[in-house]
Amino acid sequence: MAFFKKFLQKICDDDSSTGFKGGPAGTAYFGTVKADSNFNAQNDAAKLKKAIETKGVDEATIVELIAKKSNAQRQQIKEAYQQSTGKATRSEDYNIDDGLAKSDAKVLFEAGENRVGTVCSVLINVLTSRSEAQLCKIFQYYGKYSKEGLAKALESELHGNLEDCLMTLVKSAWNKPAFFAESLHLAMKGLGTNTDTLTRIIVSRSEIDLLKIIQEFKRMYGKTLQEAILKETSGDYEKILLALCGTQ
């Protein structure tokens, strides 16, 4: 998955205590990341905000900020960023605000397709903070401004990691089973199979919506998911995946 997506997810969600906290006196530290001795959360949050709002997104600065900070320091950056922007995590509210959806659709159109030079910070803000239900309503209203739709607009306006990240959010919100069906197809496409992705999706969705994913896979690729698994895997691993897929 694109770096930018991983970064956003980790800095928003990872508040675990798995980072280095030191050990008994004399214990050597063999980690690759150490705390920044000149750390200032507010300064780093300001740099992060500027990097995100820069035309095209300054990914080099984002990497520099995140890779050279301890987990505890990243959490402080997260808090400072949220305080400075008044924003950092996605709403999980299932209620749909119709007025906000109309407004957001116009904002997205004006920030991207309807101008020369995309305002990436606006796209990031809307697509990463609204619930999936709210995003679906936004996409519907966006169609009133654009003949192409938001997905096509993003493909035209963006590139690289940022495009991958935002396209993932759009596809997942619009049709989650289709998104996972595509991910499974790509995991088994070409030489070699991405078994990590294959396992993660089938196991994690087996008690949620795997049946819908199987149906979408057949619709999109003209063959069943089970047929693809039989072709790309073998042995006990194959048997486990097929068992999780059920008898459909």
Tab-separated table of all heavy atoms in Angstrom, residues 20-77:
chain	number	residue	atom	x	y	z
A	20	PHE	N	10.240	2.056	22.039
A	20	PHE	CA	11.296	1.851	23.016
A	20	PHE	C	11.080	2.740	24.233
A	20	PHE	O	10.890	3.930	24.118
A	20	PHE	CB	12.650	2.174	22.368
A	20	PHE	CG	13.792	2.160	23.335
A	20	PHE	CD1	14.167	0.975	23.930
A	20	PHE	CD2	14.464	3.335	23.654
A	20	PHE	CE1	15.222	0.945	24.822
A	20	PHE	CE2	15.507	3.303	24.544
A	20	PHE	CZ	15.899	2.113	25.122
A	21	LYS	N	11.084	2.178	25.384
A	21	LYS	CA	10.911	2.932	26.609
A	21	LYS	C	12.134	2.829	27.508
A	21	LYS	O	12.126	3.264	28.636
A	21	LYS	CB	9.684	2.439	27.387
A	21	LYS	CG	8.364	2.828	26.738
A	21	LYS	CD	7.212	2.290	27.555
A	21	LYS	CE	5.898	2.814	27.029
A	21	LYS	NZ	5.682	4.224	27.298
A	22	GLY	N	13.169	2.183	26.977
A	22	GLY	CA	14.363	2.027	27.805
A	22	GLY	C	14.272	0.767	28.622
A	22	GLY	O	13.220	0.194	28.828
A	23	GLY	N	15.396	0.308	29.113
A	23	GLY	CA	15.407	-0.911	29.900
A	23	GLY	C	16.284	-0.730	31.107
A	23	GLY	O	16.628	0.392	31.485
A	24	PRO	N	16.665	-1.810	31.752
A	24	PRO	CA	17.522	-1.722	32.917
A	24	PRO	C	18.832	-1.038	32.561
A	24	PRO	O	19.274	-1.051	31.405
A	24	PRO	CB	17.750	-3.200	33.294
A	24	PRO	CG	16.602	-3.920	32.685
A	24	PRO	CD	16.279	-3.189	31.438
A	25	ALA	N	19.454	-0.437	33.545
A	25	ALA	CA	20.710	0.256	33.329
A	25	ALA	C	21.704	-0.672	32.657
A	25	ALA	O	21.887	-1.812	33.060
A	25	ALA	CB	21.269	0.753	34.668
A	26	GLY	N	22.341	-0.155	31.617
A	26	GLY	CA	23.355	-0.950	30.933
A	26	GLY	C	22.801	-1.811	29.814
A	26	GLY	O	23.566	-2.458	29.112
A	27	THR	N	21.457	-1.832	29.644
A	27	THR	CA	20.866	-2.637	28.576
A	27	THR	C	21.061	-1.942	27.231
A	27	THR	O	20.727	-0.770	27.084
A	27	THR	CB	19.361	-2.851	28.825
A	27	THR	OG1	19.196	-3.536	30.054
A	27	THR	CG2	18.752	-3.675	27.703
A	28	ALA	N	21.606	-2.641	26.277
A	28	ALA	CA	21.850	-2.056	24.962
A	28	ALA	C	20.554	-1.922	24.181
A	28	ALA	O	19.636	-2.716	24.353
A	28	ALA	CB	22.839	-2.924	24.193
A	29	TYR	N	20.494	-0.900	23.355
A	29	TYR	CA	19.321	-0.690	22.500
A	29	TYR	C	19.700	-1.028	21.067
A	29	TYR	O	20.654	-0.487	20.520
A	29	TYR	CB	18.864	0.767	22.600
A	29	TYR	CG	17.768	1.144	21.633
A	29	TYR	CD1	16.589	0.420	21.588
A	29	TYR	CD2	17.913	2.223	20.758
A	29	TYR	CE1	15.565	0.760	20.715
A	29	TYR	CE2	16.904	2.569	19.874
A	29	TYR	CZ	15.738	1.833	19.859
A	29	TYR	OH	14.739	2.167	18.989
A	30	PHE	N	18.972	-1.952	20.455
A	30	PHE	CA	19.298	-2.410	19.120
A	30	PHE	C	18.265	-1.983	18.087
A	30	PHE	O	18.216	-2.511	16.982
A	30	PHE	CB	19.458	-3.941	19.107
A	30	PHE	CG	20.610	-4.415	19.946
A	30	PHE	CD1	20.391	-4.933	21.217
A	30	PHE	CD2	21.911	-4.322	19.475
A	30	PHE	CE1	21.449	-5.355	21.993
A	30	PHE	CE2	22.980	-4.748	20.246
A	30	PHE	CZ	22.759	-5.269	21.511
A	31	GLY	N	17.398	-1.045	18.453
A	31	GLY	CA	16.421	-0.539	17.497
A	31	GLY	C	17.064	0.376	16.478
A	31	GLY	O	18.191	0.858	16.661
A	32	THR	N	16.359	0.633	15.391
A	32	THR	CA	16.877	1.507	14.336
A	32	THR	C	16.409	2.947	14.472
A	32	THR	O	16.956	3.840	13.833
A	32	THR	CB	16.443	0.984	12.953
A	32	THR	OG1	15.015	0.933	12.898
A	32	THR	CG2	17.020	-0.403	12.698
A	33	VAL	N	15.376	3.181	15.284
A	33	VAL	CA	14.838	4.528	15.467
A	33	VAL	C	15.027	4.961	16.913
A	33	VAL	O	14.672	4.230	17.840
A	33	VAL	CB	13.330	4.587	15.107
A	33	VAL	CG1	12.767	5.966	15.400
A	33	VAL	CG2	13.118	4.220	13.648
A	34	LYS	N	15.588	6.136	17.080
A	34	LYS	CA	15.778	6.687	18.418
A	34	LYS	C	15.025	8.009	18.520
A	34	LYS	O	14.738	8.661	17.515
A	34	LYS	CB	17.267	6.910	18.692
A	34	LYS	CG	18.098	5.633	18.690
A	34	LYS	CD	19.554	5.939	18.998
A	34	LYS	CE	20.392	4.663	18.983
A	34	LYS	NZ	21.820	4.928	19.272
A	35	ALA	N	14.730	8.411	19.737
A	35	ALA	CA	14.045	9.678	19.956
A	35	ALA	C	14.925	10.834	19.488
A	35	ALA	O	16.147	10.802	19.628
A	35	ALA	CB	13.703	9.832	21.441
A	36	ASP	N	14.293	11.842	18.909
A	36	ASP	CA	15.006	13.034	18.449
A	36	ASP	C	15.329	13.904	19.655
A	36	ASP	O	14.439	14.363	20.370
A	36	ASP	CB	14.107	13.794	17.465
A	36	ASP	CG	14.800	15.013	16.874
A	36	ASP	OD1	15.896	15.369	17.331
A	36	ASP	OD2	14.228	15.622	15.956
A	37	SER	N	16.605	14.155	19.879
A	37	SER	CA	17.023	14.922	21.064
A	37	SER	C	16.623	16.386	20.984
A	37	SER	O	16.534	17.074	22.004
A	37	SER	CB	18.539	14.800	21.254
A	37	SER	OG	19.220	15.292	20.107
A	38	ASN	N	16.364	16.886	19.770
A	38	ASN	CA	15.950	18.292	19.587
A	38	ASN	C	14.476	18.393	19.210
A	38	ASN	O	14.076	19.281	18.469
A	38	ASN	CB	16.805	18.943	18.498
A	38	ASN	CG	18.268	19.009	18.872
A	38	ASN	OD1	18.610	19.387	19.992
A	38	ASN	ND2	19.140	18.635	17.946
A	39	PHE	N	13.693	17.488	19.734
A	39	PHE	CA	12.295	17.363	19.338
A	39	PHE	C	11.443	18.519	19.829
A	39	PHE	O	11.569	18.984	20.969
A	39	PHE	CB	11.746	16.054	19.910
A	39	PHE	CG	10.281	15.843	19.669
A	39	PHE	CD1	9.786	15.654	18.395
A	39	PHE	CD2	9.392	15.821	20.738
A	39	PHE	CE1	8.438	15.445	18.170
A	39	PHE	CE2	8.037	15.612	20.532
A	39	PHE	CZ	7.561	15.430	19.239
A	40	ASN	N	10.564	18.997	18.941
A	40	ASN	CA	9.570	20.006	19.289
A	40	ASN	C	8.292	19.666	18.535
A	40	ASN	O	8.226	19.815	17.309
A	40	ASN	CB	10.061	21.411	18.922
A	40	ASN	CG	9.095	22.498	19.375
A	40	ASN	OD1	7.940	22.536	18.959
A	40	ASN	ND2	9.580	23.389	20.225
A	41	ALA	N	7.294	19.173	19.240
A	41	ALA	CA	6.075	18.674	18.601
A	41	ALA	C	5.361	19.753	17.794
A	41	ALA	O	4.870	19.497	16.686
A	41	ALA	CB	5.137	18.098	19.662
A	42	GLN	N	5.287	20.967	18.349
A	42	GLN	CA	4.582	22.050	17.662
A	42	GLN	C	5.266	22.419	16.348
A	42	GLN	O	4.616	22.628	15.325
A	42	GLN	CB	4.484	23.294	18.564
A	42	GLN	CG	3.463	23.178	19.690
A	42	GLN	CD	3.894	22.187	20.755
A	42	GLN	OE1	5.101	22.035	21.027
A	42	GLN	NE2	2.945	21.519	21.392
A	43	ASN	N	6.614	22.489	16.384
A	43	ASN	CA	7.354	22.810	15.164
A	43	ASN	C	7.173	21.731	14.103
A	43	ASN	O	6.973	22.024	12.917
A	43	ASN	CB	8.843	22.976	15.480
A	43	ASN	CG	9.142	24.265	16.222
A	43	ASN	OD1	8.296	25.157	16.300
A	43	ASN	ND2	10.342	24.380	16.768
A	44	ASP	N	7.241	20.472	14.541
A	44	ASP	CA	7.089	19.372	13.593
A	44	ASP	C	5.673	19.313	13.033
A	44	ASP	O	5.470	18.982	11.861
A	44	ASP	CB	7.442	18.036	14.260
A	44	ASP	CG	8.947	17.840	14.383
A	44	ASP	OD1	9.693	18.611	13.746
A	44	ASP	OD2	9.371	16.928	15.106
A	45	ALA	N	4.683	19.623	13.880
A	45	ALA	CA	3.299	19.639	13.402
A	45	ALA	C	3.109	20.724	12.348
A	45	ALA	O	2.411	20.517	11.351
A	45	ALA	CB	2.346	19.862	14.584
A	46	ALA	N	3.754	21.866	12.563
A	46	ALA	CA	3.665	22.958	11.595
A	46	ALA	C	4.324	22.565	10.276
A	46	ALA	O	3.804	22.846	9.183
A	46	ALA	CB	4.327	24.214	12.162
A	47	LYS	N	5.478	21.891	10.359
A	47	LYS	CA	6.163	21.414	9.150
A	47	LYS	C	5.308	20.379	8.421
A	47	LYS	O	5.249	20.360	7.191
A	47	LYS	CB	7.514	20.811	9.523
A	47	LYS	CG	8.538	21.806	10.036
A	47	LYS	CD	9.823	21.089	10.425
A	47	LYS	CE	10.841	22.061	11.020
A	47	LYS	NZ	12.074	21.350	11.461
A	48	LEU	N	4.670	19.513	9.196
A	48	LEU	CA	3.816	18.479	8.615
A	48	LEU	C	2.633	19.103	7.880
A	48	LEU	O	2.289	18.709	6.763
A	48	LEU	CB	3.325	17.547	9.712
A	48	LEU	CG	2.396	16.406	9.293
A	48	LEU	CD1	3.105	15.479	8.316
A	48	LEU	CD2	1.932	15.624	10.516
A	49	LYS	N	2.017	20.084	8.511
A	49	LYS	CA	0.879	20.778	7.900
A	49	LYS	C	1.290	21.440	6.592
A	49	LYS	O	0.588	21.340	5.578
A	49	LYS	CB	0.329	21.818	8.870
A	49	LYS	CG	-0.920	22.560	8.388
A	49	LYS	CD	-1.450	23.462	9.490
A	49	LYS	CE	-2.752	24.139	9.058
A	49	LYS	NZ	-2.530	25.102	7.951
A	50	LYS	N	2.452	22.084	6.605
A	50	LYS	CA	2.942	22.745	5.395
A	50	LYS	C	3.237	21.724	4.303
A	50	LYS	O	2.933	21.946	3.123
A	50	LYS	CB	4.198	23.543	5.720
A	50	LYS	CG	4.759	24.316	4.530
A	50	LYS	CD	5.986	25.118	4.920
A	50	LYS	CE	6.545	25.880	3.717
A	50	LYS	NZ	7.765	26.657	4.080
A	51	ALA	N	3.821	20.590	4.691
A	51	ALA	CA	4.163	19.551	3.713
A	51	ALA	C	2.922	18.976	3.055
A	51	ALA	O	2.914	18.676	1.858
A	51	ALA	CB	4.962	18.437	4.394
A	52	ILE	N	1.848	18.810	3.834
A	52	ILE	CA	0.603	18.267	3.301
A	52	ILE	C	-0.091	19.263	2.389
A	52	ILE	O	-0.674	18.897	1.365
A	52	ILE	CB	-0.333	17.842	4.451
A	52	ILE	CG1	0.244	16.617	5.174
A	52	ILE	CG2	-1.737	17.543	3.945
A	52	ILE	CD1	-0.542	16.193	6.383
A	53	GLU	N	-0.009	20.556	2.743
A	53	GLU	CA	-0.718	21.574	1.986
A	53	GLU	C	0.056	22.061	0.761
A	53	GLU	O	-0.490	22.762	-0.081
A	53	GLU	CB	-1.047	22.759	2.902
A	53	GLU	CG	-2.044	22.396	3.997
A	53	GLU	CD	-2.347	23.550	4.929
A	53	GLU	OE1	-1.654	24.592	4.821
A	53	GLU	OE2	-3.280	23.424	5.744
A	54	THR	N	1.338	21.675	0.665
A	54	THR	CA	2.138	22.053	-0.490
A	54	THR	C	1.582	21.413	-1.753
A	54	THR	O	1.128	20.269	-1.718
A	54	THR	CB	3.599	21.601	-0.293
A	54	THR	OG1	4.152	22.311	0.819
A	54	THR	CG2	4.438	21.895	-1.535
A	55	LYS	N	1.614	22.106	-2.862
A	55	LYS	CA	1.131	21.562	-4.122
A	55	LYS	C	1.824	20.251	-4.428
A	55	LYS	O	3.044	20.180	-4.497
A	55	LYS	CB	1.364	22.561	-5.250
A	55	LYS	CG	0.853	22.078	-6.608
A	55	LYS	CD	1.119	23.106	-7.690
A	55	LYS	CE	0.640	22.615	-9.047
A	55	LYS	NZ	0.896	23.583	-10.129
A	56	GLY	N	1.036	19.195	-4.591
A	56	GLY	CA	1.593	17.886	-4.874
A	56	GLY	C	2.003	17.100	-3.655
A	56	GLY	O	2.339	15.934	-3.751
A	57	VAL	N	2.004	17.709	-2.492
A	57	VAL	CA	2.399	17.122	-1.212
A	57	VAL	C	3.910	16.868	-1.162
A	57	VAL	O	4.472	16.221	-2.038
A	57	VAL	CB	1.640	15.810	-0.906
A	57	VAL	CG1	2.098	15.227	0.419
A	57	VAL	CG2	0.142	16.053	-0.877
A	58	ASP	N	4.556	17.399	-0.145
A	58	ASP	CA	5.997	17.245	0.045
A	58	ASP	C	6.263	15.948	0.807
A	58	ASP	O	6.441	15.948	2.023
A	58	ASP	CB	6.536	18.459	0.813
A	58	ASP	CG	8.042	18.412	0.985
A	58	ASP	OD1	8.663	17.434	0.535
A	58	ASP	OD2	8.586	19.352	1.584
A	59	GLU	N	6.295	14.835	0.090
A	59	GLU	CA	6.448	13.531	0.733
A	59	GLU	C	7.824	13.363	1.373
A	59	GLU	O	7.971	12.671	2.377
A	59	GLU	CB	6.182	12.414	-0.268
A	59	GLU	CG	4.730	12.373	-0.745
A	59	GLU	CD	4.461	11.195	-1.661
A	59	GLU	OE1	5.399	10.414	-1.909
A	59	GLU	OE2	3.312	11.051	-2.113
A	60	ALA	N	8.849	13.988	0.797
A	60	ALA	CA	10.200	13.870	1.351
A	60	ALA	C	10.256	14.422	2.770
A	60	ALA	O	10.870	13.830	3.667
A	60	ALA	CB	11.197	14.598	0.452
A	61	THR	N	9.597	15.546	2.984
A	61	THR	CA	9.567	16.141	4.323
A	61	THR	C	8.780	15.271	5.287
A	61	THR	O	9.169	15.104	6.449
A	61	THR	CB	8.945	17.551	4.271
A	61	THR	OG1	9.785	18.409	3.488
A	61	THR	CG2	8.799	18.144	5.672
A	62	ILE	N	7.679	14.703	4.819
A	62	ILE	CA	6.872	13.823	5.660
A	62	ILE	C	7.685	12.611	6.097
A	62	ILE	O	7.676	12.224	7.266
A	62	ILE	CB	5.595	13.376	4.916
A	62	ILE	CG1	4.685	14.582	4.657
A	62	ILE	CG2	4.841	12.318	5.726
A	62	ILE	CD1	3.498	14.274	3.790
A	63	VAL	N	8.412	12.024	5.161
A	63	VAL	CA	9.265	10.880	5.496
A	63	VAL	C	10.302	11.272	6.535
A	63	VAL	O	10.540	10.562	7.515
A	63	VAL	CB	9.964	10.335	4.233
A	63	VAL	CG1	10.992	9.282	4.600
A	63	VAL	CG2	8.942	9.746	3.270
A	64	GLU	N	10.942	12.411	6.309
A	64	GLU	CA	11.978	12.887	7.227
A	64	GLU	C	11.423	13.103	8.623
A	64	GLU	O	12.044	12.736	9.626
A	64	GLU	CB	12.561	14.198	6.687
A	64	GLU	CG	13.685	14.794	7.517
A	64	GLU	CD	14.990	14.033	7.401
A	64	GLU	OE1	15.108	13.184	6.505
A	64	GLU	OE2	15.888	14.287	8.230
A	65	LEU	N	10.222	13.688	8.703
A	65	LEU	CA	9.615	13.965	10.004
A	65	LEU	C	9.266	12.688	10.762
A	65	LEU	O	9.490	12.591	11.971
A	65	LEU	CB	8.338	14.797	9.816
A	65	LEU	CG	8.513	16.292	9.553
A	65	LEU	CD1	7.190	16.903	9.142
A	65	LEU	CD2	9.061	16.983	10.796
A	66	ILE	N	8.713	11.718	10.057
A	66	ILE	CA	8.189	10.526	10.711
A	66	ILE	C	9.255	9.480	10.976
A	66	ILE	O	9.284	8.842	12.029
A	66	ILE	CB	7.058	9.916	9.861
A	66	ILE	CG1	5.940	10.948	9.682
A	66	ILE	CG2	6.505	8.656	10.522
A	66	ILE	CD1	5.437	11.559	10.968
A	67	ALA	N	10.169	9.292	10.042
A	67	ALA	CA	11.139	8.204	10.157
A	67	ALA	C	12.172	8.441	11.246
A	67	ALA	O	12.781	7.493	11.739
A	67	ALA	CB	11.847	7.987	8.816
A	68	LYS	N	12.359	9.693	11.633
A	68	LYS	CA	13.402	9.999	12.610
A	68	LYS	C	12.834	10.418	13.959
A	68	LYS	O	13.479	11.135	14.723
A	68	LYS	CB	14.327	11.081	12.050
A	68	LYS	CG	15.092	10.619	10.814
A	68	LYS	CD	16.114	11.629	10.359
A	68	LYS	CE	16.907	11.107	9.167
A	68	LYS	NZ	17.920	12.064	8.685
A	69	LYS	N	11.638	9.940	14.251
A	69	LYS	CA	11.017	10.213	15.543
A	69	LYS	C	10.599	8.901	16.188
A	69	LYS	O	10.209	7.958	15.505
A	69	LYS	CB	9.773	11.100	15.361
A	69	LYS	CG	10.035	12.440	14.677
A	69	LYS	CD	10.899	13.343	15.517
A	69	LYS	CE	11.055	14.718	14.881
A	69	LYS	NZ	11.773	14.700	13.600
A	70	SER	N	10.639	8.863	17.507
A	70	SER	CA	10.160	7.676	18.209
A	70	SER	C	8.642	7.646	18.150
A	70	SER	O	7.990	8.646	17.812
A	70	SER	CB	10.608	7.717	19.672
A	70	SER	OG	9.967	8.778	20.359
A	71	ASN	N	8.056	6.496	18.493
A	71	ASN	CA	6.601	6.383	18.477
A	71	ASN	C	5.962	7.397	19.430
A	71	ASN	O	4.954	8.020	19.110
A	71	ASN	CB	6.172	4.970	18.865
A	71	ASN	CG	4.660	4.819	18.855
A	71	ASN	OD1	4.033	5.043	17.843
A	71	ASN	ND2	4.085	4.475	19.984
A	72	ALA	N	6.554	7.571	20.602
A	72	ALA	CA	6.018	8.534	21.573
A	72	ALA	C	6.039	9.943	20.991
A	72	ALA	O	5.094	10.730	21.189
A	72	ALA	CB	6.831	8.477	22.868
A	73	GLN	N	7.089	10.288	20.271
A	73	GLN	CA	7.179	11.612	19.663
A	73	GLN	C	6.178	11.756	18.524
A	73	GLN	O	5.586	12.828	18.341
A	73	GLN	CB	8.602	11.856	19.161
A	73	GLN	CG	9.603	12.051	20.292
A	73	GLN	CD	11.030	12.192	19.808
A	73	GLN	OE1	11.385	11.698	18.732
A	73	GLN	NE2	11.858	12.859	20.587
A	74	ARG	N	5.955	10.686	17.766
A	74	ARG	CA	4.954	10.748	16.691
A	74	ARG	C	3.566	11.028	17.254
A	74	ARG	O	2.771	11.743	16.646
A	74	ARG	CB	4.954	9.448	15.887
A	74	ARG	CG	6.154	9.282	14.985
A	74	ARG	CD	5.949	8.179	13.960
A	74	ARG	NE	5.890	6.862	14.578
A	74	ARG	CZ	6.945	6.073	14.750
A	74	ARG	NH1	8.139	6.481	14.369
A	74	ARG	NH2	6.810	4.879	15.285
A	75	GLN	N	3.268	10.445	18.419
A	75	GLN	CA	1.969	10.694	19.043
A	75	GLN	C	1.828	12.147	19.484
A	75	GLN	O	0.741	12.733	19.410
A	75	GLN	CB	1.755	9.746	20.228
A	75	GLN	CG	1.733	8.267	19.858
A	75	GLN	CD	0.839	7.991	18.674
A	75	GLN	OE1	-0.318	8.396	18.643
A	75	GLN	NE2	1.380	7.304	17.674
A	76	GLN	N	2.929	12.745	19.921
A	76	GLN	CA	2.895	14.163	20.297
A	76	GLN	C	2.705	15.046	19.064
A	76	GLN	O	2.004	16.063	19.120
A	76	GLN	CB	4.193	14.539	21.019
A	76	GLN	CG	4.349	13.883	22.385
A	76	GLN	CD	5.646	14.284	23.055
A	76	GLN	OE1	5.923	15.468	23.254
A	76	GLN	NE2	6.467	13.292	23.409
A	77	ILE	N	3.327	14.658	17.956
A	77	ILE	CA	3.117	15.390	16.701
A	77	ILE	C	1.645	15.303	16.285
A	77	ILE	O	1.029	16.280	15.872
A	77	ILE	CB	4.016	14.827	15.579
A	77	ILE	CG1	5.487	15.042	15.913
A	77	ILE	CG2	3.673	15.496	14.242
A	77	ILE	CD1	6.430	14.365	14.938
